[in-house]
Amino acid sequence: AFVPGEVLVGLKDGTSLDAVAARHGASRKDVQRGYARLEVARGSERAIAARLAADPDVAFAEPNWLRQPDAIDGRLW
């Protein structure tokens, strides 16, 4: 499962996030250290992530996967 309408993307140095997003029909949602969240049309997350991943200016791209713990080891966070 992933967050509907979101793709995570990391860019290569010197690349414009807005330019990459515009080329792929996405828009900037927010930027974190090392990656950005892009807003995309719901239902197109996997396809746009694949197109972004093939872009030479992109280091990585994937849907914004929802992570769930599959075990608890007794430690408190």
Side-chain angles (χ1 to χ4, degrees), residues 7-46:
V7 171
L8 300 180
V9 64
L11 300 177
K12 294 183 179 172
D13 288 339
T15 301
S16 164
L17 175 61
D18 292 327
V20 169
R23 282 198 306 261
H24 296 281
S27 60
R28 175 195 301 244
K29 194 157 189 179
D30 70 8
V31 178
Q32 302 292 324
R33 185 174 181 203
Y35 72 94
R37 283 190 311 154
L38 297 181
E39 188 170 354
V40 300
R42 288 178 181 230
S44 69
E45 298 88 356
R46 289 178 194 235

